[in-house]
C-alpha cells in the first residue's frame, strides 16, 4: 500500500449534510462522534467547511428543494471525496417514498460510496459503515 | 570537527532546525489531541501508529495529496502566498530560541542570536497576525472575511499585554536577548541555591504573574478554545481558513502546530529557565520536557473553557489584562531597581 492511500484512509474528515432528514438520523450521526463511540479513534474529525472534508455523510431523502444545494456542496469538496448515505431515507426515500417532493435517495443526485441502512441506524452501524468504507479504500 | 558551513546547514535543516521542529510540532499536536480526548473521557487517535502517534503525519500527507482549489473571486497571489507565510514565520521565530548546541552536548545556543532578538520575536508574532488577516481577506468568502477581522481584532488586542509581559524578564536580566535571559535565570537560580535571600521571593512571584499573563495572551494568539471566535464552527463555518483546501490547508495546520511549539518555547525560555536543568541530562531533553508541560497547560485550558463572546474577549484584554500587565511592569521596574 502506498503512503498516500495509507494517509487517506487514516484521516477521513467528515462533513455532515442534512438533506431533509427527520432529524433522528442526524442525532445518531452526532452520537457517533460523542465520547462513547469516539470516531476520532480512526482519525475522523467533524469539519464545518466542505473544502476541508473528505467524506460527506448525507442523511434524509433529498427533497427537490435541497437537491441543487447538495450538488453544490458536493462540488465544493476537493477530490478525492466519498459520500456515505445514512438511513433508509438517504438510500431509497424510506418513509417518504413516492412523495411528490423527494428525489428518493442520495444516489439519484450524487455518486454514493457506502450505504448504511436503518431507520435510524445506530451509531455502531454508522461506525461499522465508515470503517467498511475505509477498508474498501485500502485501510 | 565538522566544517562550520556544514554544521550551520545541519543546524538549520536537521537539528535543531527544520526537521526536528516539524517532527516535534506534530508530536505536540498528537499530545494535545490525546490529552484533550482523555479529559473528555475519549481515547483520541488510536490506530495510526502506536496509540495514534502518526495521526498528524497522516493528516498532513493526506492534505498534501488532495486537490487544491482556488476560488474564482480570490486574490490568487495573496491566497497562495499567505499559507507559506503562516507556516514560515513561526519557524523563523523558533530559530531565535536556544535549544541545544550541535558541538557541545551540555551547551545550548540558538541558531541565530544577537542583542534584541526578543524584539524580533515580537515583531514576527505581529507579522503572523497580519498574514492571518490577509489569508482570510484574500479568500473573498464572507465567512473568511468575518473570521479574518475577528482574528485581527483578537490578536491585536492580546498582542499588547503579551509584549509587555514578555519584557518583564528582559528588565530583570537587563538584556533583550533571549539567550541572556535564559542565562540570567540559571545564574539567579544558582545564586539562590548557594545563598538564599529574601529578594528572590518577589522576583519569583512577579515572574509567575508574567507567566500567567503570557499564557492567556498566547491562548488568544493561538486561537485556542476560550478564544476561538475567529474560527467558531457554529457561526462562521471555519473562520478565516474556510476556503483553504489541499496543500494550503496542510501548511496552515502545520503552521498552527509550529506556533504551538513557538508559544511553549517562548514560555519556557522566558519564565521556566529554557533548556537549563540539573546536570546529567542534556539541554534538549529539558527543553522538550518543559515545552511539553507548556503544551499540556495550553491544551488543558482549551479543553476546560467554552468560547468567549467577542465583547468578553475584547474586554478581557483591554479592561483586565492590559492594566494588569502595566501594573506588573511597574512592579518589575521597582523590584529590579531595588536589586
Ligand atoms: S431514515 Fe428514518 S430516522 Fe432517518 S431521516 Fe429517514 S425517517 Fe428519519
Amino acid at each position: 500500500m502506498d503512503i498516500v492511500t495509507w494517509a487517506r484512509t487514516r484521516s477521513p474528515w467528515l462533513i455532515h449534510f442534512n438533506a431533509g432528514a427527520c432529524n433522528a438520523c442526524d442525532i445518531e450521526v452526532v452520537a457517533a462522534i460523542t465520547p462513547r463511540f469516539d470516531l476520532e479513534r480512526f482519525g475522523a474529525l467533524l469539519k464545518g467547511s466542505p473544502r476541508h472534508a473528505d467524506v460527506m455523510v448525507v442523511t434524509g431523502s433529498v427533497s427537490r428543494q435541497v437537491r441543487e444545494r447538495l450538488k453544490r456542496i458536493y462540488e465544493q469538496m476537493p477530490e478525492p471525496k466519498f459520500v456515505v448515505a445514512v438511513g433508509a431515507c438517504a438510500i431509497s426515500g424510506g418513509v417518504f417514498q413516492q412523495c411528490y417532493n423527494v428525489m428518493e435517495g442520495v444516489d439519484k443526485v450524487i455518486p454514493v460510496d457506502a450505504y448504511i441502512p436503518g431507520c435510524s441506524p445506530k451509531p455502531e452501524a454508522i461506525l461499522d459503515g465508515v470503517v467498511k468504507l475505509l477498508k474498501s479504500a485500502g485501510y | 570537527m565538522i566544517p562550520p558551513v556544514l554544521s550551520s546547514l545541519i543546524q538549520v535543516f536537521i537539528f535543531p532546525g527544520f526537521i526536528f521542529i516539524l517532527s516535534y510540532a506534530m508530536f505536540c499536536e498528537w499530545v494535545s489531541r490525546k490529552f484533550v480526548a482523555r479529559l473528555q473521557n475519549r481515547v483520541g487517535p488510536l490506530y495510526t501508529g502506536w496509540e495514534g502517534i502518526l495521526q498528524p503525519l497522516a493528516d498532513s500527507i493526506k492534505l498534501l495529496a488532495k486537490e487544491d482549489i482556488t476560488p474564482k473571486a480570490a486574490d490568487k497571489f495573496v491566497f497562495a502566498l499567505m499559507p507559506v507565510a503562516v507556516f514560515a514565520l513561526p519557524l523563523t521565530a523558533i530559530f531565535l530560541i536556544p535549544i541545544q548546541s550541535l558541538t557541545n552536548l551540555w551547551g545550548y545556543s540558538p541558531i541565530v542570536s544577537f542583542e534584541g532578538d526578543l524584539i524580533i520575536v515580537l515583531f514576527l508574532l505581529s507579522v503572523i497576525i497580519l498574514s492571518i488577516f490577509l489569508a482570510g481577506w484574500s479568500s473573498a468568502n464572507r465567512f473568511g472575511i468575518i473570521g479574518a477581522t475577528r482574528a485581527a481584532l483578537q490578536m491585536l488586542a492580546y498582542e499588547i499585554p503579551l509584549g509587555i509581559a514578555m519584557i518583564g524578564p528582559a528588565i530583570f536580566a537587563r538584556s533583550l536577548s533571549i539567550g541572556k535571559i535564559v542565562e540570567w535565570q540559571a545564574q539567579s537560580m544558582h545564586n539562590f541555591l548557594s545563598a538564599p535571600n529574601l529578594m528572590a521571593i518577589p522576583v519569583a512571584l512577579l515572574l509567575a504573574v508574567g507567566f500567567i499573563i503570557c499564557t492567556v495572551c498566547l491562548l488568544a494568539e493561538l486561537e485556542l478554545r476560550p478564544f476561538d471566535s475567529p474560527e467558531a464552527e457554529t457561526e462562521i463555518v471555519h473562520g478565516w481558513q474556510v476556503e483553504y483546501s489541499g496543500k494550503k490547508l496542510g501548511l496552515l495546520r502545520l503552521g498552527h502546530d509550529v506556533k504551538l511549539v513557538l508559544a511553549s518555547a517562548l514560555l519556557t525560555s522566558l519564565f521556566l529557565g529554557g533548556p537549563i536543568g540539573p546536570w546529567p541530562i542534556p539541554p534538549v531533553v529539558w527543553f522538550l520536557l518543559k515545552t511539553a508541560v507548556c503544551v499540556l497547560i495550553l491544551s488543558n485550558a482549551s479543553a476546560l473553557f467554552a468560547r468567549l463572546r467577542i465583547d468578553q474577549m475584547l474586554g478581557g484584554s483591554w479592561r483586565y489584562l492590559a492594566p494588569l500587565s502595566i501594573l506588573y511592569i511597574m512592579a518589575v521596574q521597582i523590584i529590579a531597581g531595588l536589586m
Side-chain angles (χ1 to χ4, degrees):
Chain A
M1 173 174 49
D2 63 320
I3 186 157
V4 173
T5 321
W6 172 82
R8 232 166 238 165
T9 50
R10 264 143 185 94
S11 146
W13 291 355
L14 314 176
I15 179 170
H16 173 201
F17 189 93
N18 179 341
C22 77
N23 235 333
C25 280
D26 303 289
I27 288 173
E28 300 300 325
V29 170
V30 173
I33 54 169
T34 51
R36 189 179 169 97
F37 302 103
D38 192 18
L39 258 177
E40 203 190 351
R41 282 181 295 148
F42 302 99
L45 296 176
L46 195 65
K47 289 282 162 183
S49 162
R51 296 265 195 243
H52 300 184
D54 311 288
V55 181
M56 176 145 77
V57 178
V58 191
T59 57
S61 57
V62 195
S63 61
R64 281 178 198 280
Q65 178 110 37
V66 89
R67 180 180 56 184
E68 293 308 315
R69 280 86 186 167
L70 177 60
K71 257 194 223 160
R72 208 158 136 196
I73 296 285
Y74 178 73
E75 279 157 8
Q76 281 178 358
M77 287 168 60
E79 293 283 352
K81 49 193 168 188
F82 304 96
V83 178
V84 180
V86 173
C89 286
I91 294 172
S92 64
V95 286
F96 302 109
Q97 224 167 22
Q98 292 170 4
C99 283
Y100 68 97
N101 60 345
V102 300
M103 297 301 296
E104 303 192 341
V106 177
D107 50 7
K108 307 276 190 316
V109 186
I110 53 174
V112 176
D113 298 273
Y115 299 88
I116 300 172
C119 177
S120 55
K122 284 185 158 196
E124 290 96 324
I126 297 175
L127 280 180
D128 188 46
V130 170
V131 171
K132 274 191 183 134
L133 173 71
L134 295 180
K135 283 221 171 98
S136 76
Y139 189 83
Chain B
M1 253 339 265
I2 356 173
V5 178
L6 189 65
S7 94
S8 37
L9 275 183
I10 292 179
Q11 268 196 329
V12 170
F13 286 107
I14 300 174
F15 180 85
F18 210 70
I19 291 179
F20 172 73
I21 290 170
L22 271 192
S23 17
Y24 186 53
M26 288 187 183
F27 176 74
C28 281
E29 188 197 333
W30 173 74
V31 166
S32 110
R33 271 171 82 167
K34 268 302 218 203
F35 185 63
V36 171
R38 286 313 300 151
L39 289 180
Q40 296 174 344
N41 228 345
R42 298 185 286 128
V43 280
L46 191 60
Y47 297 117
T48 316
W50 177 78
E51 291 283 322
I53 194 167
L54 296 178
Q55 189 61 52
L57 184 69
D59 288 349
S60 310
I61 295 177
K62 177 203 75 176
L63 285 173
L64 289 182
K66 255 179 105 79
E67 186 189 359
D68 188 359
I69 302 174
T70 306
K72 223 191 222 163
D75 181 340
K76 310 251 161 8
F77 178 67
V78 182
F79 189 77
L81 188 65
M82 282 311 137
V84 183
V86 169
F87 170 69
L89 289 170
L91 203 61
T92 319
I94 291 188
F95 283 0
L96 298 168
I97 287 176
I99 299 177
Q100 165 87 38
S101 100
L102 204 58
T103 42
N104 174 7
L105 184 58
W106 312 116
Y108 57 91
S109 60
I111 297 174
V112 262
S113 121
F114 43 87
E115 186 60 41
D117 48 13
L118 186 61
I119 303 282
I120 299 286
V121 171
L122 278 172
F123 166 73
L124 286 173
L125 281 175
S126 324
V127 181
I128 295 173
I129 300 172
L130 187 67
S131 48
I132 284 179
F133 175 74
L134 281 178
W137 188 267
S138 65
S139 66
N141 178 305
R142 65 198 76 176
F143 299 120
I145 290 174
I146 294 175
T149 42
R150 282 188 189 183
L153 200 64
Q154 162 172 322
M155 293 181 181
L156 289 178
Y158 282 86
E159 183 78 3
I160 290 156
L162 176 70
I164 297 179
M166 272 170 36
I167 295 300
I171 292 179
F172 277 132
R174 294 190 160 75
S175 161
L176 276 172
S177 124
I178 299 176
K180 293 238 178 71
I181 294 174
V182 169
E183 260 160 42
W184 168 78
Q185 294 176 58
Q187 191 59 42
S188 39
M189 192 68 192
H190 182 77
N191 287 352
F192 181 74
L193 288 183
S194 53
N197 63 346
L198 277 181
M199 216 42 208
I201 296 168
V203 174
L205 283 179
L206 277 177
L207 284 183
V209 173
F211 182 80
I212 292 169
I213 298 176
C214 261
T215 312
V216 176
C217 296
L218 285 170
L219 276 175
E221 296 278 322
L222 289 166
E223 300 168 39
L224 289 177
R225 191 101 2 93
F227 302 103
D228 67 341
S229 57
E231 50 187 60
E233 280 199 1
T234 40
E235 305 158 23
I236 49 172
V237 190
H238 210 96
W240 55 274
Q241 304 178 0
V242 68
E243 284 288 355
Y244 284 91
S245 61
K247 343 187 216 330
K248 298 194 183 104
L249 183 64
L251 276 182
L252 288 180
R253 277 179 67 84
L254 276 183
H256 184 267
D257 294 348
V258 176
K259 236 166 98 182
L260 183 64
V261 174
L262 171 65
S264 34
L266 274 177
L267 284 178
T268 309
S269 21
L270 292 181
F271 298 100
L272 302 180
I276 299 176
W279 175 66
I281 304 172
V284 63
V285 180
W286 281 113
F287 177 82
L288 293 183
L289 279 178
K290 289 177 182 177
T291 43
V293 169
C294 291
V295 167
L296 289 186
I297 292 174
L298 291 171
S299 46
N300 189 3
S302 82
L304 278 180
F305 294 112
R307 187 187 314 137
L308 293 174
R309 284 200 317 264
I310 299 180
D311 61 320
Q312 290 170 333
M313 174 270 284
L314 279 178
S317 164
W318 294 114
R319 241 185 271 139
Y320 303 109
L321 274 184
L324 182 66
S325 62
I326 290 174
L327 280 182
Y328 157 77
I329 212 74
M330 278 157 58
V332 167
Q333 292 274 18
I334 292 169
I335 300 287
L338 287 181
M339 278 200 318

